[in-house]
Amino acid sequence: MSKINKDTLSSALDDVLAFAAGEEIKVGGETVKGKKRNFVETIDLQFTLKNYDPRRDKRFAGTFKLPTVPRPNMKVCVLGNDVHCEQAKELGYPHMSVDDLKKLNKNKKAVKKLAKKYDAFVASQALIKQIPRLLGPGLNRAGKFPTVVASSDSLEAKVNEVKAQIKFQMKKVMCMSVAVGNVSLSKEENLTNINLACNFLASLLKKNWQNIKVIYVKSTMGPSHNIFF
């Protein structure tokens, strides 16, 4: 059950969307004018945890599929067999075949560059076991090991599924940020995504909501708004 006040969240999201549309909003008692950007801003949640020791407590990691894709422009690369590479070409997705991967020759710099170039990867089932042999541990270390695409799966549906996923991973710091929506979505779609993301993070924590100190919501270029404290 979400501990976020419905009215607080609704008001904060109104301000986030208004600022992104170039309207005036009040921040800390002052009136500030927003600016409409020439790109679609994402809506991000920023969390600070409490009563958690990253050195002693078990580090958590979890992936959750949101009902609405938060980052439609997310770059997903297909590491595919001949069939999937052909489909990727038709759908306009960046793709690499086994031969393309072999050319990287396990070069650490080249694999690191590849991992940096894309937000996520999907790979044909027949290829997935070959990835570590062809590329070494680079994609895994970057937290971008490919999602499997079975021969019976729709490549387009699988890529959209990856785009809808958010990932929470506890590292050495008590703060984390995740994109959960964007300013082109409706208010309701953003509200649903935000509530689901917050509830999912709470479910990963040892003491659930008691481990969350504060949550802010903001657009890419906009000010932060406190929705849980």
Side-chain angles (χ1 to χ4, degrees):
M1 185 69 188
S2 180
K3 295 281 181 82
I4 295 173
N5 181 283
K6 196 176 172 185
D7 294 334
T8 302
L9 175 56
S10 178
S11 171
L13 192 55
D14 282 341
D15 282 347
V16 167
L17 296 172
F19 190 86
E23 297 169 21
E24 288 185 349
I25 63 167
K26 278 211 168 354
V27 179
E30 289 184 21
T31 301
V32 289
K33 185 165 171 56
K35 184 179 178 183
K36 192 166 169 58
R37 309 286 168 172
N38 57 4
F39 65 93
V40 177
E41 294 182 64
T42 58
I43 291 177
D44 303 327
L45 289 178
Q46 297 175 327
F47 301 89
T48 302
L49 305 183
K50 65 179 180 181
N51 305 327
Y52 219 95
D53 187 340
R55 289 165 302 178
R56 288 209 331 245
D57 292 325
K58 189 183 174 188
R59 293 188 188 180
F60 59 82
T63 305
F64 184 80
K65 182 175 178 273
L66 294 171
T68 311
V69 173
R71 296 168 62 198
N73 297 328
M74 184 178 172
K75 289 186 284 186
V76 180
C77 181
V78 179
L79 310 179
N81 56 21
D82 293 344
V83 175
H84 283 145
C85 279
E86 193 56 43
Q87 288 177 4
K89 195 176 176 182
E90 287 170 15
L91 291 163
Y93 298 150
H95 55 279
M96 295 179 81
S97 65
V98 176
D99 289 339
D100 294 327
L101 298 178
K102 280 178 181 172
K103 283 173 194 168
L104 295 176
N105 203 22
K106 272 193 185 175
N107 181 299
K108 284 183 183 176
K109 277 189 178 175
V111 175
K112 201 174 179 181
K113 194 176 175 184
L114 175 68
K116 231 177 174 181
K117 189 176 179 182
Y118 299 104
D119 298 306
F121 296 84
V122 297
S124 305
Q125 195 164 20
L127 232 80
I128 203 80
K129 286 181 181 174
Q130 298 178 53
I131 303 287
R133 188 167 53 80
L134 292 167
L135 300 178
L139 292 186
N140 209 15
R141 279 185 185 153
K144 295 180 182 179
F145 194 77
T147 299
V148 182
V149 187
S151 53
S152 57
D153 289 339
S154 155
L155 181 62
E156 188 174 14
K158 187 59 75 171
V159 168
N160 284 335
E161 185 183 306
V162 168
K163 286 183 177 182
Q165 283 179 349
I166 54 168
K167 186 178 182 181
F168 290 109
Q169 189 167 11
M170 181 68 179
K171 294 188 178 172
K172 292 178 184 176
V173 291
M174 301 282 278
C175 303
M176 55 183 69
S177 177
V178 64
V180 292
N182 66 70
V183 297
S184 70
L185 298 180
S186 70
K187 182 182 176 182
E188 284 308 313
E189 286 171 326
N190 278 311
L191 281 173
T192 301
N193 277 7
I194 288 168
N195 276 312
L196 288 170
C198 291
N199 287 340
F200 179 67
L201 174 63
S203 75
L204 293 175
L205 301 168
K206 194 169 59 173
K207 293 183 179 175
N208 307 116
W209 286 91
Q210 289 175 46
N211 284 129
I212 300 175
K213 184 179 181 181
V214 66
I215 305 173
Y216 291 95
V217 64
K218 71 184 292 295
S219 64
T220 309
M221 307 300 287
S224 300
H225 301 272
N226 199 330
I227 56 169
F228 179 81
F229 46 91

